[in-house]
Coordinates of all heavy atoms in Angstrom, one line a residue:
P279 N 92.8 -86.5 44.3 CA 91.6 -87.1 44.7 C 91.6 -88.2 45.7 O 92.4 -89.1 45.5 CB 90.8 -87.4 43.5 CG 91.5 -86.6 42.3 CD 92.9 -86.5 42.7
G280 N 90.9 -88.1 46.7 CA 90.9 -89.1 47.8 C 92.1 -89.0 48.8 O 92.1 -89.8 49.8
R281 N 93.0 -88.1 48.7 CA 94.2 -87.9 49.5 C 94.1 -86.7 50.3 O 93.5 -85.6 49.8 CB 95.5 -87.9 48.8 CG 95.7 -89.1 47.8 CD 95.8 -90.5 48.6 NE 97.1 -90.6 49.2 CZ 98.4 -91.0 48.7 NH1 98.5 -91.2 47.4 NH2 99.4 -91.1 49.4
S282 N 94.5 -86.6 51.5 CA 94.4 -85.5 52.4 C 95.8 -84.7 52.4 O 96.9 -85.1 51.8 CB 94.2 -85.9 53.9 OG 95.2 -86.8 54.3
F283 N 95.8 -83.6 53.0 CA 97.2 -82.9 53.3 C 97.3 -82.8 54.8 O 96.4 -83.1 55.5 CB 97.2 -81.5 52.6 CG 96.3 -80.4 53.2 CD1 96.8 -79.6 54.2 CD2 95.0 -80.3 52.8 CE1 96.0 -78.6 54.8 CE2 94.2 -79.3 53.4 CZ 94.7 -78.4 54.3
R284 N 98.5 -82.6 55.2 CA 98.8 -82.5 56.7 C 99.4 -81.2 57.2 O 100.2 -80.6 56.4 CB 99.8 -83.6 57.0 CG 100.2 -83.6 58.6 CD 101.0 -84.9 58.9 NE 100.3 -86.1 58.6 CZ 99.3 -86.7 59.5 NH1 99.1 -86.0 60.6 NH2 98.8 -87.8 59.2
L285 N 98.8 -80.6 58.2 CA 99.2 -79.4 58.8 C 100.0 -79.8 60.0 O 99.6 -80.5 60.8 CB 98.1 -78.5 59.1 CG 98.4 -77.3 60.2 CD1 99.4 -76.3 59.4 CD2 97.1 -76.7 60.6
R286 N 101.3 -79.2 60.1 CA 102.0 -79.4 61.3 C 102.6 -78.1 61.9 O 103.0 -77.2 61.2 CB 103.3 -80.3 61.0 CG 104.2 -80.6 62.2 CD 105.2 -81.5 61.9 NE 106.2 -81.8 63.1 CZ 107.3 -81.1 63.3 NH1 107.6 -80.1 62.6 NH2 108.0 -81.4 64.3
L287 N 102.5 -77.8 63.1 CA 103.0 -76.7 63.8 C 103.9 -77.2 65.0 O 103.5 -78.1 65.7 CB 101.8 -75.8 64.5 CG 100.8 -75.3 63.5 CD1 99.8 -74.6 64.4 CD2 101.3 -74.4 62.5
A288 N 105.1 -76.6 65.1 CA 105.9 -77.0 66.1 C 106.7 -75.8 66.7 O 107.1 -74.9 65.9 CB 106.9 -78.0 65.7
V289 N 106.9 -75.7 68.0 CA 107.7 -74.6 68.6 C 108.9 -75.3 69.1 O 108.9 -76.3 69.8 CB 107.0 -73.8 69.7 CG1 107.9 -72.8 70.3 CG2 105.6 -73.2 69.2
T290 N 110.0 -74.9 68.6 CA 111.3 -75.4 69.0 C 112.1 -74.4 69.6 O 112.0 -73.2 69.4 CB 112.0 -75.9 67.7 OG1 112.2 -75.0 66.8 CG2 111.2 -77.1 67.0
A291 N 113.2 -74.8 70.3 CA 114.1 -73.9 71.0 C 115.1 -73.6 70.0 O 115.5 -74.5 69.1 CB 114.8 -74.6 72.2
P292 N 115.7 -72.5 69.9 CA 115.3 -71.4 70.6 C 114.2 -70.4 70.0 O 114.4 -69.7 69.0 CB 116.6 -70.5 70.8 CG 117.3 -70.8 69.4 CD 116.8 -72.2 69.0
A293 N 113.0 -70.6 70.5 CA 111.8 -69.7 70.2 C 111.6 -69.5 68.6 O 111.6 -68.5 68.1 CB 112.0 -68.3 70.8
T294 N 111.4 -70.7 67.9 CA 111.0 -70.7 66.5 C 109.7 -71.4 66.4 O 109.6 -72.6 66.8 CB 112.1 -71.4 65.7 OG1 113.3 -70.7 65.9 CG2 111.9 -71.5 64.2
L295 N 108.9 -70.9 65.6 CA 107.7 -71.5 65.1 C 107.8 -72.2 63.9 O 108.1 -71.4 62.9 CB 106.5 -70.7 65.3 CG 105.1 -71.3 64.6 CD1 104.5 -72.5 65.4 CD2 104.0 -70.1 64.5
R296 N 107.7 -73.4 63.6 CA 107.8 -74.2 62.3 C 106.4 -74.5 61.9 O 105.7 -75.1 62.6 CB 108.6 -75.4 62.5 CG 108.6 -76.4 61.4 CD 109.2 -75.9 60.0 NE 110.5 -75.5 59.9 CZ 111.6 -76.3 59.5 NH1 111.3 -77.4 59.1 NH2 112.7 -75.8 59.4
I297 N 106.0 -73.9 60.6 CA 104.8 -74.3 60.0 C 105.1 -75.2 58.8 O 106.0 -74.9 58.1 CB 104.1 -73.0 59.4 CG1 103.9 -72.1 60.6 CG2 102.9 -73.3 58.7 CD1 103.5 -70.6 60.2
E298 N 104.4 -76.4 58.7 CA 104.7 -77.3 57.6 C 103.3 -77.7 57.1 O 102.3 -78.1 57.8 CB 105.4 -78.6 58.1 CG 106.7 -78.3 58.5 CD 107.5 -79.6 58.9 OE1 106.9 -80.6 59.0 OE2 108.8 -79.5 59.1
V299 N 103.2 -77.8 55.8 CA 102.0 -78.4 55.1 C 102.6 -79.4 54.1 O 103.4 -79.0 53.2 CB 101.1 -77.3 54.5 CG1 100.1 -78.0 53.6 CG2 100.5 -76.4 55.5
S300 N 102.2 -80.6 54.3 CA 102.5 -81.8 53.5 C 101.4 -82.1 52.4 O 100.3 -82.3 53.0 CB 103.1 -82.9 54.1 OG 104.1 -82.5 55.0
D301 N 101.6 -82.3 51.2 CA 100.6 -82.9 50.3 C 101.2 -84.1 49.5 O 102.3 -84.4 49.6 CB 100.0 -81.7 49.4 CG 101.0 -81.2 48.4 OD1 101.7 -81.9 47.8 OD2 101.1 -80.0 48.4
T302 N 100.4 -84.6 48.7 CA 100.8 -85.8 48.0 C 101.2 -85.6 46.5 O 101.4 -86.6 45.8 CB 99.6 -86.9 47.9 OG1 98.4 -86.3 47.5 CG2 99.3 -87.3 49.4
R303 N 101.5 -84.3 46.1 CA 101.9 -84.1 44.8 C 103.4 -83.6 44.8 O 103.6 -82.4 44.6 CB 101.0 -83.0 44.1 CG 99.6 -83.4 44.0 CD 99.1 -84.1 42.7 NE 99.5 -83.7 41.5 CZ 98.8 -83.1 40.5 NH1 97.7 -82.6 40.8 NH2 99.4 -82.9 39.4
G304 N 104.3 -84.5 44.9 CA 105.7 -84.2 45.0 C 106.2 -83.7 43.6 O 107.3 -82.9 43.7
E305 N 105.5 -83.9 42.5 CA 106.1 -83.4 41.3 C 105.7 -81.9 41.0 O 106.2 -81.3 40.1 CB 105.6 -84.2 40.1 CG 104.0 -84.0 39.8 CD 103.1 -84.8 40.6 OE1 103.5 -85.4 41.6 OE2 101.9 -84.8 40.3
H306 N 104.9 -81.3 41.8 CA 104.4 -79.9 41.7 C 105.1 -79.1 42.8 O 104.5 -78.9 43.9 CB 102.9 -79.8 41.7 CG 102.2 -80.3 40.5 ND1 101.5 -81.4 40.4 CD2 102.3 -79.6 39.2 CE1 101.1 -81.5 39.2 NE2 101.5 -80.5 38.4
L307 N 106.2 -78.6 42.6 CA 106.9 -77.8 43.7 C 106.6 -76.4 43.6 O 106.4 -75.9 42.4 CB 108.5 -78.0 43.6 CG 109.0 -79.4 43.7 CD1 110.4 -79.5 43.5 CD2 108.5 -80.0 45.1
P308 N 106.4 -75.7 44.7 CA 106.1 -74.3 44.6 C 107.3 -73.5 44.2 O 108.3 -73.7 44.5 CB 105.7 -73.8 46.0 CG 106.4 -75.0 46.9 CD 106.5 -76.2 46.0
T309 N 107.0 -72.6 43.2 CA 108.1 -71.7 42.7 C 107.5 -70.3 42.5 O 106.2 -70.1 42.4 CB 108.5 -72.2 41.3 OG1 107.3 -72.1 40.4 CG2 109.1 -73.5 41.3
R310 N 108.4 -69.4 42.5 CA 107.9 -68.0 42.3 C 108.8 -67.4 41.2 O 110.0 -67.5 41.3 CB 108.2 -67.2 43.6 CG 107.6 -65.6 43.4 CD 107.7 -64.9 44.7 NE 109.1 -64.9 45.2 CZ 110.0 -64.1 44.8 NH1 109.8 -63.3 43.7 NH2 111.2 -64.0 45.3
A311 N 108.3 -67.0 40.1 CA 109.0 -66.5 39.1 C 109.7 -65.2 39.5 O 109.1 -64.3 40.2 CB 108.1 -66.2 37.8
P312 N 111.0 -65.0 39.2 CA 111.6 -63.7 39.5 C 111.0 -62.5 38.9 O 110.4 -62.7 37.8 CB 113.1 -63.9 39.0 CG 113.1 -65.2 38.1 CD 111.8 -65.9 38.4
T313 N 110.9 -61.5 39.7 CA 110.3 -60.3 39.1 C 111.3 -59.2 38.9 O 112.3 -59.2 39.5 CB 109.1 -59.7 40.1 OG1 109.9 -59.4 41.4 CG2 108.1 -60.8 40.4
S314 N 111.0 -58.4 37.9 CA 112.0 -57.3 37.7 C 111.0 -56.0 37.9 O 110.0 -56.0 38.0 CB 112.5 -57.3 36.3 OG 111.5 -57.4 35.4
A315 N 111.8 -54.9 37.9 CA 111.0 -53.6 38.1 C 110.0 -53.4 37.1 O 110.2 -53.5 35.9 CB 112.1 -52.5 38.2
G316 N 108.7 -53.1 37.7 CA 107.7 -52.8 36.7 C 106.9 -54.1 36.2 O 106.0 -53.9 35.6
V317 N 107.5 -55.3 36.5 CA 106.8 -56.4 35.9 C 106.2 -57.1 37.2 O 106.9 -57.5 38.2 CB 107.7 -57.3 35.3 CG1 107.1 -58.7 34.8 CG2 108.5 -56.7 34.1
E318 N 104.9 -57.4 37.1 CA 104.2 -58.0 38.3 C 104.3 -59.4 38.1 O 104.2 -60.0 37.0 CB 102.8 -57.5 38.3 CG 102.7 -56.0 38.6 CD 101.3 -55.6 39.1 OE1 100.5 -56.4 39.3 OE2 100.9 -54.5 39.0
P319 N 104.3 -60.2 39.3 CA 104.3 -61.7 39.2 C 102.9 -62.1 38.7 O 102.0 -61.5 38.7 CB 104.5 -62.1 40.6 CG 104.1 -61.0 41.5 CD 104.3 -59.7 40.6
A320 N 102.9 -63.4 38.1 CA 101.7 -64.0 37.7 C 100.8 -64.1 39.0 O 101.2 -64.1 40.1 CB 102.0 -65.5 37.3
E321 N 99.5 -64.1 38.7 CA 98.5 -64.0 39.8 C 98.6 -65.1 40.8 O 98.5 -64.8 42.0 CB 97.1 -64.3 39.2 CG 96.0 -64.1 40.1 CD 94.6 -64.2 39.4 OE1 94.5 -63.6 38.4 OE2 93.7 -64.9 40.0
S322 N 99.2 -66.3 40.4 CA 99.3 -67.3 41.4 C 100.6 -67.2 42.1 O 100.8 -67.8 43.1 CB 99.4 -68.6 40.8 OG 100.4 -68.8 39.8
G323 N 101.4 -66.1 41.9 CA 102.7 -66.0 42.6 C 102.6 -65.0 43.8 O 103.7 -65.0 44.6
Y324 N 101.6 -64.4 44.0 CA 101.5 -63.5 45.1 C 101.5 -64.1 46.5 O 102.0 -63.5 47.4 CB 100.1 -62.5 45.0 CG 100.3 -61.4 44.0 CD1 99.5 -61.5 42.8 CD2 101.1 -60.4 44.1 CE1 99.5 -60.5 41.9 CE2 101.2 -59.4 43.2 CZ 100.4 -59.4 42.0 OH 100.5 -58.6 41.2
G325 N 100.9 -65.2 46.6 CA 100.9 -65.9 47.9 C 102.3 -66.2 48.4 O 102.6 -66.0 49.6
L326 N 103.1 -66.6 47.6 CA 104.5 -67.1 48.0 C 105.4 -65.8 48.2 O 106.2 -65.7 49.1 CB 105.2 -67.9 47.0 CG 104.5 -69.3 46.8 CD1 105.3 -70.2 45.9 CD2 104.6 -70.0 48.2
L327 N 105.0 -64.6 47.4 CA 105.7 -63.4 47.7 C 105.3 -63.0 49.2 O 106.3 -62.4 49.9 CB 105.3 -62.3 46.8 CG 105.8 -62.3 45.5 CD1 105.1 -61.3 44.5 CD2 107.4 -61.9 45.5
L328 N 104.2 -63.1 49.6 CA 103.7 -63.0 51.0 C 104.5 -63.7 52.0 O 104.9 -63.1 52.9 CB 102.1 -63.1 50.9 CG 101.6 -62.9 52.4 CD1 101.5 -61.5 52.8 CD2 100.2 -63.5 52.5
V329 N 104.5 -65.0 51.7 CA 105.3 -65.9 52.6 C 106.8 -65.4 52.7 O 107.3 -65.4 53.7 CB 105.2 -67.3 52.1 CG1 106.2 -68.3 52.9 CG2 103.7 -67.9 52.2
E330 N 107.3 -65.1 51.5 CA 108.7 -64.7 51.5 C 109.0 -63.5 52.4 O 110.0 -63.3 53.2 CB 109.3 -64.4 50.1 CG 110.6 -64.3 50.0 CD 111.1 -64.3 48.6 OE1 110.9 -65.4 48.0 OE2 111.6 -63.3 48.1
E331 N 107.9 -62.5 52.4 CA 108.1 -61.2 53.2 C 107.8 -61.6 54.7 O 108.4 -60.9 55.6 CB 107.1 -60.2 52.7 CG 107.5 -59.6 51.4 CD 108.8 -58.8 51.5 OE1 109.0 -58.1 52.4 OE2 109.6 -59.2 50.6

Side-chain angles (χ1 to χ4, degrees):
R281 305 291 293 274
S282 61
F283 72 93
R284 180 171 298 277
L285 168 66
R286 180 178 180 268
L287 304 174
V289 177
T290 59
T294 299
L295 172 64
R296 165 66 59 104
I297 301 164
E298 295 182 349
V299 171
S300 302
D301 65 49
T302 54
R303 301 273 314 257
E305 75 277 10
H306 287 109
L307 300 179
T309 59
R310 184 178 57 83
T313 59
S314 57
V317 177
E318 294 193 16
E321 184 177 319
S322 63
Y324 282 113
L326 293 178
L327 281 172
L328 177 72
V329 169
E330 191 166 298
E331 288 298 315

